[in-house]
Amino acid sequence: MSSPSHFRKVLVANRGEIAVRVVRACRDLGIASVAVHSDADAGALHVRLADEAYALPGTSPADTYLNVEMIMKALAESQADAVHPGYGFLSESTALAEAVTRAGKTFIGPPADAIAVMGSKVTARQAAERAGVPLVPGSDGPVTSGAEVRAFGERHGYPITVKASYGGGGRGMRIVRDGAEADDAVAAAQREAQAYFGQPEVYLERYLERPRHVEVQIVADTHGAVVSLGNRDCTVQRRHQKLIEEAPCTVISDGTRQAMDEAAVALAASVGYVGAGTVEFLVEDDAFYFLEMNTRLQVEHPVTELVTGVDLVAEQLRVAAGLPLSVRQEDVTVRGHALEMRINAEDPAGGLFRPTPGTLTEVRPPLGFGVRFDSGYEAGDTVSEYYDGLLGKLIVHAQDRPAAIARAQRVLEELRVSGVATTKPAHQAVLRHPVFTGDRHHTTWLETDAELKPALAPETSPAEAAPRPAGDDRSVVVVAGREYWVPYVAEQASAAAAPPQAAPPPSGSGPRRAAGMSGSSDGVVRAPMQGTIAAVSAQVGSEVAAEDVVCVLEAMKMENPVTAGKAGRVTEVRVTVGAGVSPGDTLVVIE
């Protein structure tokens, strides 16, 4: 592939492994790279690898990586020619795309109008319908009342999903199983959508009980070419976040595979798409339905690269420079099978997946044929509580799915990460599970059906077994060789900490989440970790049960419901939404 020589210098408006990925791709192509960084990331790997670096003062995402004004200031000071947004943060921001274009620079992504159309799930559904892409039955536009939900249920049946129009990751989403739940579900989804996305708009879709999540990778240039690079199966999820991805999906027929490719290409062409993008579908009984389109590079893009041999970041740079794609549809061949495992700084013990920020004392990736490790960290780096906990992506390629699973099991054994707990045990448990190896899983399998409790049981250390001093409500735990003081969790919390059972969610519930973290028997609910208060449901004077959620603590981009731990009346609520808390801080007091 010839170098996109139009670009002399590219600013990477991101952090972590994706920033490292783009910096390395630029170096391969002879393009200088510019990193931006928060105060917490001043010494991060992407900063060390880039040719230049500019500070974004502050630590919170809002002040730094989500701050269009600060990104544009760095762009002007660096005199870079283009901005690559990576994924997450501002990657699907029309504000950034428009600001870069107004400045006479190049946004390495689709046009702002294509981002806008596909950024709203309502307008995306309308675009898909116009392009002839199959849709799950849904509302024609946003809804504002339970009455509209009940009318939809009469036409299409239950269960129904109330979903945020401008959201994702399961936030702003509620499942309605009968008409009596409709009013509360709409109100709750609207509140959450407003809180997380700044838009209260919600719409309806018929809820599929046991689907597969299959997506098609497309790439398009400014010369009218749109090419499908095959599909990925992203069905293994928890909290509506992907854990393991693979390519290709092996449970759909050739006819369905071809129809999905054609639908994705048609949709991209219909909205004038340019660059790399992903069209996501739900598949049930070999029928597929449009879910959404992600107008950016996906976290799981490496599995597509390994089975097709196409460098997606290089194609993005090429297309943005005005060059035609280096690959035609007839050139695309999917060879073998690839698996990607997201290695996150989370402790999966008990099915909780608690964030574990900290300093990495060892990072030793596995080696060997067909193995790739994309990471934003090295030993000595610190995983910050301010951002998501993705340490890296472990990707393997082999001649078929069984061989890829065997290789994945081998490389997980060899992977060494110390200093923080990781999701490695969860990956190992999934890869050994007969439902996964038999390719019979569905999107909620990991949280509702999988029996992973023995594999994810926390290890007991001598420090954990030591007696507590009188009056001390903390305990010592050891994670990957490091000691931490944490709030003591009373015995009755064991029930709250149990992994989800193999039963459907209760009527009227929202999306399944990992079990909540519990307060103690003394009625003082303390913060189990450092983070930000995302929601407060407790009110002074209200009566709560021990299992009631009193607030939601967000750490490393993950929601952690905190339950009361004791039945009684709320006498104090010491936190508000947006407040930062440290381990042991009092959140709520119950008498």
Side-chain angles (χ1 to χ4, degrees):
M1 173 176 166
S2 60
S3 172
S5 55
H6 173 75
F7 297 136
R8 176 183 54 87
K9 188 187 297 186
V10 170
L11 183 145
V12 185
N14 217 298
R15 66 178 300 278
E17 72 84 17
I18 187 56
V20 170
R21 168 77 176 91
V22 177
V23 165
R24 285 172 169 159
C26 287
R27 182 162 295 175
D28 287 345
L29 297 168
I31 302 170
S33 58
V34 178
V36 293
H37 64 85
S38 67
D39 293 341
D41 281 341
L45 181 59
H46 75 282
V47 176
R48 302 197 297 268
L49 291 178
D51 296 292
E52 300 176 28
Y54 291 81
L56 306 174
T59 53
S60 74
D63 292 336
T64 56
Y65 300 105
L66 289 171
N67 190 325
V68 174
E69 182 180 349
M70 294 304 299
I71 297 292
M72 293 305 298
K73 181 181 177 183
L75 178 62
E77 291 177 355
S78 67
Q79 298 184 359
D81 307 305
V83 174
H84 194 302
Y87 54 72
F89 291 128
L90 293 170
S91 61
E92 295 178 284
S93 166
T94 56
L96 179 62
E98 290 168 348
V100 171
T101 302
R102 283 196 304 269
K105 308 293 185 177
T106 301
F107 180 74
I108 302 176
D113 55 355
I115 296 175
V117 169
M118 305 314 295
S120 162
K121 290 182 172 61
V122 171
T123 56
R125 280 180 59 89
Q126 293 168 347
E129 187 172 23
R130 289 193 298 270
V133 179
L135 294 169
V136 174
S139 57
D140 295 329
V143 299
T144 58
S145 69
E148 293 171 278
V149 179
R150 287 185 284 273
F152 182 88
E154 289 177 3
R155 294 194 304 272
H156 301 289
Y158 292 91
I160 299 166
T161 311
V162 183
K163 301 177 74 172
S165 296
Y166 297 89
R171 291 170 175 167
M173 175 177 166
R174 294 294 185 275
I175 309 301
V176 179
R177 297 186 178 276
D178 62 58
E181 303 168 1
D183 297 291
D184 290 343
V186 170
Q190 288 175 327
R191 285 194 303 270
E192 195 167 65
Q194 177 66 48
Y196 281 104
F197 311 115
Q199 295 277 359
E201 186 176 284
V202 297
Y203 73 107
L204 307 179
E205 280 184 353
R206 184 74 165 80
Y207 181 65
L208 301 180
E209 294 279 9
R210 298 171 67 87
R212 297 287 282 248
H213 182 126
V214 184
E215 57 192 34
V216 174
Q217 175 71 61
I218 62 94
V219 62
D221 62 25
T222 57
H223 302 273
V226 184
V227 172
S228 165
L229 296 177
N231 64 66
R232 298 185 288 257
D233 190 327
C234 306
T235 300
V236 179
Q237 303 176 9
R238 84 278 186 268
R239 304 189 196 183
H240 296 268
Q241 301 292 326
K242 301 164 187 173
L243 190 66
I244 293 178
E245 298 102 349
E246 52 186 308
C249 176
T250 59
V251 297
I252 56 177
S253 66
D254 289 341
T256 295
R257 189 185 317 278
Q258 182 176 347
M260 290 176 69
D261 286 348
E262 292 171 352
V265 168
L267 178 59
S270 72
V271 297
Y273 198 83
V274 174
T278 299
V279 183
E280 300 192 347
F281 300 97
L282 293 178
V283 178
E284 197 170 67
D285 300 326
D286 208 35
F288 66 94
Y289 307 95
F290 174 74
L291 180 62
E292 63 181 339
M293 183 176 186
N294 289 303
T295 55
R296 54 171 167 81
L297 196 66
Q298 292 279 91
V299 179
E300 57 271 25
H301 75 274
V303 293
T304 295
E305 293 181 326
L306 289 182
V307 297
T308 63
V310 176
D311 184 331
L312 278 164
V313 178
E315 290 297 329
Q316 285 185 297
L317 292 163
R318 181 183 181 92
V319 165
L323 299 174
L325 292 171
S326 67
V327 62
R328 299 170 300 174
Q329 190 65 68
E330 55 267 31
D331 300 326
V332 178
T333 302
V334 174
R335 294 183 176 89
H337 198 88
L339 284 168
E340 176 180 290
M341 294 149 285
R342 299 191 189 191
I343 307 300
N344 298 323
E346 300 168 20
D347 186 353
L352 291 177
F353 290 94
R354 295 181 178 181
T356 58
T359 299
L360 296 163
T361 55
E362 180 186 24
V363 178
R364 182 156 59 88
L367 302 172
F369 183 80
V371 180
R372 170 174 164 180
F373 187 62
D374 286 12
S375 178
Y377 296 89
E378 294 177 330
D381 292 339
T382 296
V383 182
S384 172
E385 69 271 19
Y386 297 108
Y387 316 112
D388 71 64
L390 180 62
L391 298 179
K393 303 178 307 194
L394 187 53
I395 313 111
V396 299
H397 182 236
Q399 67 268 27
D400 55 30
R401 189 172 189 267
I405 291 174
R407 180 162 289 161
Q409 291 171 331
R410 188 266 297 175
V411 299
L412 281 170
E413 287 290 337
E414 293 184 11
L415 175 67
R416 295 290 182 269
V417 177
S418 301
V420 301
T422 74
T423 49
K424 172 180 168 177
H427 291 298
Q428 291 176 310
V430 170
L431 290 173
R432 289 192 298 263
H433 201 289
V435 171
F436 177 78
T437 58
D439 223 356
R440 304 191 306 273
H441 51 294
H442 53 88
T443 54
T444 59
W445 164 72
L446 191 61
E447 296 179 325
T448 61
D449 294 351
E451 293 295 336
L452 302 181
K453 183 176 180 179
L456 300 182
E459 295 181 2
T460 301
S461 71
E464 288 175 286
R468 284 187 298 130
D472 192 346
D473 59 359
R474 300 178 301 165
S475 60
V476 177
V477 297
V478 177
V479 178
R482 300 185 68 211
E483 291 187 354
Y484 297 87
W485 281 102
V486 298
Y488 175 67
V489 180
E491 289 183 3
Q492 73 265 25
S494 350
Q501 299 301 307
S507 179
S509 71
R512 289 298 295 258
R513 293 173 173 169
M517 302 174 185
S518 175
S520 62
S521 58
D522 63 3
V524 179
V525 183
R526 300 175 178 86
M529 65 185 70
Q530 185 164 347
T532 302
I533 300 298
V536 179
S537 53
Q539 296 180 352
V540 173
S542 63
E543 297 290 330
V544 295
E547 67 274 11
D548 286 349
V549 174
V550 295
C551 64
V552 177
L553 177 62
E554 185 171 8
M556 298 166 73
K557 286 193 173 182
M558 292 190 64
E559 287 184 358
N560 302 277
V562 181
T563 58
K566 172 187 176 180
R569 184 174 62 88
V570 176
T571 58
E572 292 183 63
V573 177
R574 297 190 185 179
V575 291
T576 57
V577 173
V581 296
S582 298
D585 286 356
T586 297
L587 309 177
V588 176
V589 178
I590 301 166
E591 288 186 352

